[in-house]
Amino acid sequence: MDHVNPGIRWGVEQRLEFIEFRLFWEGGVRRKDIIDMFGVSVPQASKDLALYQERAPGNVDYDKSAKRYVASRDFKPKFLQPDSDGYLSRLRSLAEGLAKPAESWIGYRPDTDIALTPHREVEPVGLRAVLDAMRDGKSIEVLYQSMSDIRTDPVWRRMSPHAFGYDGFRWHARAYCHIDEKFKDFLLPRILDVRSPGPGGASGQDDALWQEHVAVEITPHPQLTASQKTVVAKDYGMQDGKAVLSVRLAMLFYVLKRLGLLRDPEKEKPRAQHIVLLNKDYVRAAQKRAEFYDVAAARSDQPQQS
């Protein structure tokens, strides 16, 4: 991919990328699109289009009937690398209401729906306090609502956070718990209040489960047909019939759960469970090792996830 001339200001470079985004994903761009998106003048938008054609000769044709610039048959990206995941992420953010249309760069918005999960409210003040403690290597007291049988009411507990984790549905802070004297996952929506910043406890470098990565090898379900295995391999980006995921030991449970690999996927119907573990013994041993770390570090009988 060619890069924009270093002499071009960032604002102009961004508009050139926008022009190319619209050309690639939507087939064309109008002068008005640039004006509406960036708030520039008509002459400036015209200059941007002229500059794009100068920098990417042969990429654009002008459709007089539609009054817009369209991608030519020989179009080749110059200012951005077309990325399907990137486009679909923009579309998803729009569908979920997480981004405004102007932020997405998407002009034509196809009818889209998302399998939504219930919104989990995270208090901004609490999140900022956790971020502050994480950034400064400090600890903080949080009023935390656990789901354990022992602590049924909210309890003030001091923690030293060092990272965030996301399981596809929920965000948590990975932190050293000063009460249980071990590293745990604190779900952000369950933090009801914060107070009393103080000295940090154990650091993230001491979190063995966070620092260790394990290789999770997945492969198509053996009961699939050859053509089905081929498309599953394509779906998961497999090479030679497998894909290798590097997963933190602290996140292994969440990854396996999301992929349907916690139990015995081979015993599930391939129509519902498309992949299985290729290195099953290794992964199961890693799961047991994670449980061992947790038990060895614990001074209480609380589960790892609060």
Side-chain angles (χ1 to χ4, degrees):
M1 179 181 64
D2 294 345
H3 295 285
V4 179
N5 188 305
I8 297 177
R9 298 189 312 278
W10 164 247
V12 178
E13 179 181 343
Q14 190 177 40
R15 295 197 295 274
L16 294 178
E17 290 181 1
F18 169 77
I19 291 171
E20 193 157 270
F21 179 91
R22 285 289 180 89
L23 287 170
F24 183 84
W25 291 112
E26 303 189 9
V29 62
R30 291 183 172 87
R31 185 183 294 107
K32 186 176 183 298
D33 296 334
I34 305 171
I35 296 169
D36 292 344
M37 185 64 62
F38 297 100
V40 298
S41 65
V42 172
Q44 182 60 62
S46 297
K47 287 182 181 179
D48 291 338
L49 286 164
L51 179 60
Y52 180 82
Q53 293 175 85
E54 175 187 327
R55 302 287 182 177
N59 265 10
V60 177
D61 294 325
Y62 185 70
D63 185 337
K64 292 182 179 180
S65 60
K67 295 183 180 180
R68 72 169 187 161
Y69 295 85
V70 297
S72 69
R73 303 180 79 179
D74 298 324
F75 175 87
K76 292 182 181 179
K78 295 286 185 179
F79 297 97
L80 60 80
Q81 182 63 49
D83 176 27
S84 297
D85 288 338
Y87 177 84
L88 293 174
S89 293
R90 291 172 186 260
L91 192 60
R92 176 181 174 181
S93 294
L94 272 179
E96 291 184 333
L98 300 177
K100 298 177 182 179
E103 297 169 338
S104 72
W105 286 12
I106 292 176
Y108 165 69
R109 180 178 173 181
D111 196 14
T112 307
D113 201 357
I114 302 293
L116 297 175
T117 56
H119 177 67
R120 299 176 183 272
E121 186 69 31
V122 177
E123 290 294 335
V125 173
L127 176 58
R128 184 181 66 179
V130 172
L131 276 168
D132 289 345
M134 194 179 295
R135 182 181 60 249
D136 298 335
K138 303 292 186 180
S139 67
I140 192 171
E141 275 195 310
V142 298
L143 182 60
Y144 192 77
Q145 176 63 69
S146 173
M147 292 294 119
S148 73
D149 295 333
I150 297 175
R151 297 179 184 135
T152 56
D153 295 321
V155 174
W156 283 101
R157 52 200 304 167
R158 184 166 293 279
M159 70 170 187
S160 295
H162 69 84
F164 287 116
Y166 182 65
D167 66 1
F169 300 101
R170 307 179 299 183
W171 283 94
H172 65 259
R174 183 71 180 173
Y176 179 75
C177 176
H178 292 233
I179 292 179
D180 295 338
E181 297 184 317
K182 63 175 180 177
F183 289 96
K184 304 174 71 171
D185 299 341
F186 289 84
L187 289 170
L188 296 181
R190 296 182 187 171
I191 296 177
L192 308 179
D193 202 356
V194 293
R195 70 182 186 189
S196 307
S203 73
Q205 294 301 316
D206 299 318
D207 188 349
L209 293 177
W210 186 262
Q211 296 301 329
E212 182 178 348
H213 288 73
V214 296
V216 177
E217 299 180 3
I218 57 174
T219 192
H221 196 295
Q223 294 180 22
L224 292 172
T225 66
S227 61
Q228 289 171 334
K229 288 179 181 178
T230 298
V231 76
V232 168
K234 182 176 181 293
D235 283 346
Y236 287 87
M238 296 180 184
Q239 298 291 330
D240 298 323
K242 75 173 184 179
V244 181
L245 311 177
S246 179
V247 181
R248 292 183 188 273
L249 202 49
M251 297 294 292
L252 181 60
F253 171 83
Y254 304 117
V255 172
L256 296 180
K257 181 179 180 181
R258 193 171 187 188
L259 294 177
L261 300 172
L262 272 179
R263 295 187 175 86
D264 292 320
E266 297 90 347
K267 297 180 180 178
E268 301 291 332
K269 293 182 178 180
R271 179 180 178 183
Q273 180 59 42
H274 301 154
I275 58 173
V276 299
L277 286 168
L278 193 59
N279 57 342
K280 180 178 178 180
D281 292 342
Y282 168 80
V283 172
R284 297 301 181 230
Q287 286 181 275
K288 291 182 179 179
R289 192 162 65 255
E291 295 170 1
F292 172 79
Y293 277 140
D294 187 47
V295 171
R299 297 293 180 84
S300 72
D301 58 358
Q302 298 304 298
Q304 182 190 7
Q305 185 187 83
S306 297

